[in-house]
Amino acid sequence: MTTTTRIAEGPTLYAPITAPGRAAVAALRLSGPEAFTAAEALAGTLPPARRAGRRRLRAPATGEVIDDALVLAFPAPASPTGEDVVELHLHGGTLPMRRVLAALADMAGLAPAGPGDFSRRAFLNGRLDLARAEAVADLVDAETEAQARQALRQLDGALGRRVADWQHRLTAARARLEAGLDFADEGDVAGGAAGGGPDLAALAAELRDSAADDRGERLREGLVVALVGAPNAGKSSLLNALAERDVAIVSEVAGTTRDVLEVPMELGGRPVTLIDTAGIRESDDLIEQEGVRRARAAAERADLRLVLIDGARWPAPAAAGAVTPAASDLVVLAKADLEPDGPRHWAGHAVVEASVLRPGGLEAV
């Protein structure tokens, strides 16, 4: 097959593009100037471009049959990386892949691809912009529906189109400013601030707002939510209920939780790490003191704190223990199935009711 001139410099890369292990199919990709030559050494004549063809792969040195595979060829630049690309779809056992990799390792001009190398080639060859290249990694790493939706929007070019709009508006404003400076003495050309200043100010404000918006990063990295409160306030019960499994020990004995428990989970389609902490109170027990110290440290690094109030002792001041909620905290009245009396506000916060025993008791949380 006739190859086309490559764009990016470098060796021809090869690597599996499916996860290791036993499966029905295992795929391997070659990308670069020697991709077709290397594939022909294994499979003989390649099938027509972008059409799957069944080929018997043989070891170039011995002629021994390696596997019966499907082969696809993508001439540059209409390929995933913008270079000549060949994909070999092998049987999914570990031996066929290992033997093909061994054969490729003996060929000149080839090198194993590292993590992200194919996406890097696609970026260098103009097949992906930087935002889409990052979206590929985000989509591979996505663990929740919301993360996947965000990655797909970025892969579809949503962020790239927004950046292109900023570039266009910046160029237009610059042109108007330069025209105002060069032809300020002519009545039909606006000079000074009228020559593009307002447009630049509006664009700068939009850029500042975009830079300050961390919703995408929070969705990508996940939120850290800490459960804090007095001993026996119901933190471990709430953790188990949200995790839908017994993660923490629940006991009527105050101070059962001594260490910090971190549980990754998905809530509302978003990744959340829920942290259960030791009950915060004054204690002479050295181990409990260390647990309280760790609880305070975990609460400091959390994106959100749920301050639990013991509904069994509400509205007595002891229900909150030694915890004072910050302005951004969510105050939760736990054990609401006990139907505690008293106001539904505390320390300037509206109080949200929660119960792990009452049907629908966690909807407010």
Side-chain angles (χ1 to χ4, degrees):
M1 180 177 292
T2 303
T3 62
T4 57
T5 304
R6 68 178 184 266
I7 301 173
E9 296 293 333
T12 295
L13 301 177
Y14 66 89
I17 56 174
T18 51
R22 297 179 62 186
V25 177
L28 179 142
R29 175 179 292 170
L30 300 97
S31 177
E34 303 298 327
F36 289 166
T37 301
E40 287 169 348
L42 290 168
T45 304
L46 299 184
R50 288 172 289 280
R51 290 181 59 185
R54 182 180 174 185
R55 296 290 187 272
R56 183 157 292 184
L57 306 184
R58 298 179 181 272
T62 63
E64 182 181 2
V65 175
I66 296 176
D67 195 13
D68 200 24
L70 287 179
V71 179
L72 296 97
F74 303 89
S79 73
T81 65
E83 304 174 318
D84 289 336
V85 168
V86 177
E87 290 186 0
L88 307 177
H89 292 201
L90 315 172
H91 287 94
T94 58
L95 184 59
M97 178 64 74
R98 187 165 71 242
R99 295 178 70 188
V100 170
L101 290 173
L104 294 174
D106 291 335
M107 298 185 188
L110 274 63
D117 275 351
F118 290 132
S119 294
R120 180 175 181 270
R121 287 283 178 92
F123 169 70
L124 293 175
N125 293 332
R127 296 293 292 173
L128 291 174
D129 59 24
L130 186 58
R132 288 182 176 179
E134 291 178 344
V136 172
D138 289 344
L139 187 57
V140 171
D141 293 336
E143 296 179 349
T144 70
E145 291 293 334
Q147 287 176 320
R149 285 194 297 269
Q150 175 177 273
L152 286 170
R153 285 195 300 268
Q154 190 166 325
L155 188 60
D156 191 45
L159 180 57
R161 288 190 294 271
R162 192 176 182 189
V163 172
D165 177 65
W166 289 337
Q167 291 174 326
H168 173 74
R169 290 162 58 189
L170 182 60
T171 301
R174 175 184 174 183
R176 285 191 291 272
L177 281 172
E178 291 181 352
L181 292 173
D182 292 341
F183 306 102
D185 56 339
E186 298 188 17
D188 59 344
V189 177
D199 293 337
L200 286 176
L203 180 56
E206 190 173 329
L207 289 171
R208 283 193 296 269
D209 290 343
S210 180
D213 187 353
D214 62 350
R215 288 176 297 176
E217 181 179 357
R218 286 179 177 271
L219 180 58
R220 183 185 299 110
E221 302 297 332
L223 290 174
V224 177
V225 179
L227 307 179
V228 299
N232 264 6
K235 300 182 296 299
S236 296
S237 296
L238 179 59
L239 176 74
N240 290 344
L242 292 174
E244 297 182 343
R245 57 192 175 94
D246 289 333
V247 178
I249 297 175
V250 176
S251 170
E252 295 182 358
V253 178
T256 300
T257 302
R258 298 292 187 93
D259 211 340
V260 174
L261 298 178
E262 298 190 7
V263 182
M265 63 183 69
E266 180 180 344
L267 294 177
R270 297 175 179 273
V272 174
T273 298
L274 207 58
I275 299 178
D276 185 21
T277 63
I280 297 177
R281 66 175 177 179
E282 298 298 327
S283 174
D284 295 329
D285 187 319
L286 293 179
I287 297 178
E288 188 170 1
Q289 288 177 9
E290 176 61 18
V292 171
R293 186 195 67 78
R294 295 188 182 190
R296 294 187 186 278
E300 285 293 325
R301 66 181 176 87
D303 297 302
L304 174 66
R305 299 197 315 171
L306 300 187
V307 178
L308 270 67
I309 302 176
D310 187 353
R313 294 187 288 172
W314 178 256
V323 181
T324 301
S328 59
D329 293 344
L330 178 65
V331 178
V332 179
L333 179 62
K335 308 176 187 177
D337 52 280
L338 300 177
E339 299 183 357
D341 296 325
R344 290 302 184 259
H345 56 82
W346 175 67
H349 289 70
V351 175
V352 175
E353 295 185 11
S355 169
V356 300
L357 300 179
R358 177 190 297 169
L362 299 180
E363 292 181 0
V365 180

